[in-house]
């Protein structure tokens, strides 16, 4: 309750205190109902202390600043921190809880990716020391979706979707879907940004934002004229975004600097189970073999194809997870090779061919008087 109060009721404002370099005092935040990350962390720590719970402030150099060598240097002390959060120690050797209540969309759950795999300083926990924040897991952040696509003979179709977003993906969803009037536009942008060339989302969208561990669920339906391509008298259903991962993340043949993946990508995962229903007069041709590309420390990718339980359906399950967030130069070739293999694996197509009845119907339409 205290975490939600600080996150939701204290507006984030990067406000300079009267002492300039010090955080604002908790009583000032309660009076103004606003403050920045350090201020909100100190208020949360103070409120917890008021009910007998001891927590401490942590100064974090997030992955956006990404200059840990400045903090670890033994030759100079350059305190480059850009964030402040709280830490609640665990009891009897149990893991502690990291509390980042900066945003109104923050919830108790996985540590935000920008705070994880970073360096930090405990302000009042014994001698000053630079520590590494928790690594986080690909399971902590991402999207698990179930899509059902019902095709028409033109390649158009109907999409029904049920999704579960966790960690940073849930944070982004809360940030964009809190206002009911904004949901339709956001979902349309989310779908058309790589998945489908055209899409129209129906206005009825179910959004649950305050589930345990910061998870959200999202349900919607949409229409598109381009779920499948017509290739002659066949239909081809693409299963990946238009852009390849290699073109986005490793376009250069050689690197002289490490690749730093953004916090909203690594660590994280996207898993989709897509059920495709064939239109009347069409049947699925031989399904692709599927496969898996285990990138080890980089991540993993997998896709499977199977006949569905319902008649004339195929279920495609595809998953891509990114783990390593900073790829050093000496591992770039292997990293790029894994991305290229993943692209080949994911950019497969499910094909549908007309049945004899459909061909007879098409011939009858062609012979009919105009």
């Amino acid at each position: 309750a205290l975490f939600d109060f600080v996150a939701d009721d204290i507006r984030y404002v990067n406000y300079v205190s009267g002492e300039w370099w010090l955080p604002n005092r908790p009583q000032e935040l309660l009076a103004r109902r606003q403050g920045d990350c350090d201020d909100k962390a100190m208020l949360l720590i103070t409120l917890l202390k008021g009910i007998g719970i001891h927590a401490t402030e942590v100064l974090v150099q997030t992955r956006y600043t990404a200059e840990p060598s400045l903090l670890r240097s033994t030759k100079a002390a350059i305190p480059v921190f850009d964030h402040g959060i709280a830490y609640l120690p665990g009891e009897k050797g149990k893991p502690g809880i990291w509390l980042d209540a900066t945003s109104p969309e923050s919830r108790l759950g996985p540590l935000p990716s920008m705070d994880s795999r970073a360096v930090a300083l405990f302000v009042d926990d014994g001698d000053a020391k630079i520590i590494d924040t928790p690594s986080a897991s690909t399971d902590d952040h991402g999207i698990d979706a179930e899509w059902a696509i019902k095709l028409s003979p033109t390649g158009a179709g109907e999409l029904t979707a049920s999704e579960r977003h966790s960690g940073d993906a849930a944070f982004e969803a809360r940030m964009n879907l809190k206002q009911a009037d904004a949901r339709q536009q956001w979902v349309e942008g989310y779908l058309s940004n790589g998945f489908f060339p055209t899409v129209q989302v129906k206005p009825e969208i179910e959004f649950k934002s305050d589930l345990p561990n910061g998870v959200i669920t999202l349900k919607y339906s949409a229409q598109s004229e381009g779920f499948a391509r017509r290739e002659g008298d066949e239909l081809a259903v693409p299963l990946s975004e238009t852009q390849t991962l290699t073109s986005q993340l490793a376009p250069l043949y050689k690197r002289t600097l490490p690749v730093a993946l953004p916090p909203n990508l690594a660590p994280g995962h996207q898993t989709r189970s897509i059920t495709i229903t064939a239109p009347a007069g069409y049947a699925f041709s031989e399904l692709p073999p599927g496969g898996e590309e285990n990138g080890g420390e980089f991540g993993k990718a997998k896709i499977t194809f199977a006949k569905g339980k319902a008649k004339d359906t195929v279920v495609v399950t595809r998953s891509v997870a990114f783990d390593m967030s900073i790829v050093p130069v000496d591992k770039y070739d292997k990293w790029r090779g894994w991305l290229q293999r993943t692209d080949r694996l994911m950019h497969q197509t499910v094909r549908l061919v007309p049945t004899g009845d459909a061909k007879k119907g098409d011939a009858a339409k062609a012979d009919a008087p105009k």
Side-chain angles (χ1 to χ4, degrees):
L2 291 178
F3 182 96
D4 289 347
F5 167 73
V6 174
D8 296 345
D9 288 27
I10 306 299
R11 187 162 63 99
Y12 177 82
V13 175
N14 193 0
Y15 182 81
V16 176
S17 72
E19 290 90 354
W20 192 73
W21 55 276
L22 291 174
N24 288 283
R25 300 178 187 277
Q27 57 266 39
E28 293 175 350
L29 263 71
L30 290 174
R32 290 197 305 265
R33 285 295 200 274
Q34 64 184 34
D36 65 10
C37 57
D38 291 333
D39 300 333
K40 297 182 77 168
M42 290 301 297
L43 174 60
L44 178 57
I45 291 167
T46 303
L47 294 174
L48 289 171
K49 184 178 179 180
I51 61 170
I53 297 176
H54 173 73
T56 184
E57 184 170 14
V58 183
L59 296 179
V60 181
Q61 185 192 94
T62 69
R63 286 170 54 188
Y64 289 112
T65 295
E67 295 179 317
S69 60
L70 296 180
L71 300 181
R72 292 197 171 102
S73 172
T74 59
K75 305 297 183 183
I78 307 176
V80 182
F81 301 102
D82 58 347
H83 196 34
I85 63 175
Y87 177 74
L88 183 62
E91 295 182 348
K92 299 179 180 179
K94 294 182 179 179
I97 302 174
W98 300 77
L99 307 173
D100 188 342
T102 301
S103 170
E105 279 63 63
S106 300
R107 293 294 182 269
L108 281 176
L111 184 66
S113 284
M114 72 172 187
D115 300 340
S116 67
R117 304 186 181 188
V119 289
L121 173 71
F122 283 113
V123 173
D124 62 353
D125 187 21
D127 295 336
K129 58 181 179 181
I130 299 298
I131 57 98
D132 293 302
T133 60
S135 177
S137 163
T138 57
D139 295 332
D140 293 336
H141 306 277
I143 299 172
D144 296 277
E146 293 184 2
W147 287 0
I149 300 175
K150 188 175 182 179
L151 293 174
S152 77
T154 64
E158 299 274 346
L159 167 67
T160 303
S162 176
E163 301 187 357
R164 178 185 183 274
H165 296 219
S166 57
D168 281 19
F171 176 89
E172 181 182 359
R174 275 192 295 271
M175 186 168 59
N176 288 284
L177 300 173
K178 179 183 290 185
Q179 301 299 323
D181 291 346
R183 292 172 189 169
Q184 186 176 5
Q185 181 179 359
W186 185 84
V187 174
E188 285 184 355
Y190 160 65
L191 292 175
S192 61
N193 185 22
F195 288 110
F196 311 115
T198 63
V199 68
Q200 183 175 0
V201 176
K202 297 179 181 179
E204 298 80 15
I205 296 174
E206 181 182 313
F207 173 60
K208 294 183 180 179
S209 64
D210 288 313
L211 300 176
N213 210 35
V215 168
I216 72 100
T217 58
L218 179 65
K219 294 182 179 180
Y220 57 89
S221 56
Q223 296 174 315
S224 175
E225 298 301 317
F227 279 129
R229 301 188 304 267
R230 286 202 63 87
E231 296 182 354
D233 59 355
E234 297 184 357
L235 291 175
V237 185
L239 302 169
S240 287
E241 298 89 338
T242 305
Q243 277 190 301
T244 64
L245 294 173
T246 307
S247 65
Q248 297 177 68
L249 305 175
L252 299 179
Y253 180 68
K254 291 291 183 183
R255 289 279 303 191
T256 58
L257 294 173
V259 176
L261 298 184
N264 63 351
L265 183 63
H269 72 278
Q270 288 200 16
T271 300
R272 286 184 173 82
S273 176
I274 308 171
T275 301
I276 306 169
T277 301
Y282 279 81
F284 290 97
S285 62
E286 184 178 356
L287 297 177
E292 183 174 359
E293 284 296 342
N294 191 338
E297 60 188 342
F298 302 131
K300 56 185 177 181
K302 184 177 181 179
I303 189 168
T304 62
F305 301 86
K307 291 292 182 68
K309 294 181 180 178
K311 183 182 178 182
D312 300 327
T313 62
V314 160
V315 179
V316 182
T317 304
R318 64 185 306 277
S319 177
V320 178
F322 291 97
D323 196 351
M324 180 178 284
S325 48
I326 297 179
V327 182
V329 174
D330 61 347
K331 295 184 179 181
Y332 180 73
D333 288 344
K334 289 184 178 179
W335 153 257
R336 192 169 189 267
W338 174 68
L339 290 179
Q340 290 173 325
R341 295 192 301 273
T342 298
D343 284 329
R344 285 194 295 271
L345 180 66
M346 291 298 168
H347 284 259
Q348 299 188 68
T349 301
V350 170
R351 304 188 71 85
L352 298 101
V353 296
T355 61
D357 292 340
K359 292 179 180 179
K360 291 176 183 178
D362 292 341
K365 291 178 182 178
D367 294 338
K370 301 294 190 290

